[in-house]
Amino acid sequence: MKKSDILESVMKEFRALAAIPRPSGHEKAVSDYLLAHLREMGLEVVQDERNNIIADLAAAPGRENAPRVILQGHMDMVCVKTADSSHDFTKDPIEMVVDGT
């Protein structure tokens, strides 16, 4: 895969996530998005009562006995704006600005 294809793939995913409002305490929509997206990719996925997502991807053939890798991250975002901004972090998507390649 070319570097430009990887970058476009990452940016596509980032744009999709930026469109989902998700300040702290309002993670349900992004959790539902991740649940559906990971299931579409064929992973086994669980969403708990607090909207945490646990996804499991089977090991590649020959790597079944390798140590398990766990990734952990936040689904919410820090919401900071200027005093004159009318942006509502509970309803409005993030308007992305791409600067450079």
Side-chain angles (χ1 to χ4, degrees), residues 30-64:
V30 73
S31 179
D32 289 347
Y33 168 81
L34 292 169
L35 177 75
H37 193 57
L38 292 166
R39 282 185 174 159
E40 285 174 13
M41 294 170 59
L43 279 72
E44 293 183 38
V45 187
V46 174
Q47 181 184 50
D48 72 12
E49 67 281 350
R50 294 188 175 238
N51 299 314
N52 294 301
I53 296 292
I54 301 169
D56 189 53
L57 176 63
R63 300 291 298 166
E64 295 87 356

Side-chain angles (χ1 to χ4, degrees), residues 11 96-101:
M11 291 305 295
M96 290 180 45
V97 175
V98 178
D99 184 4
T101 51

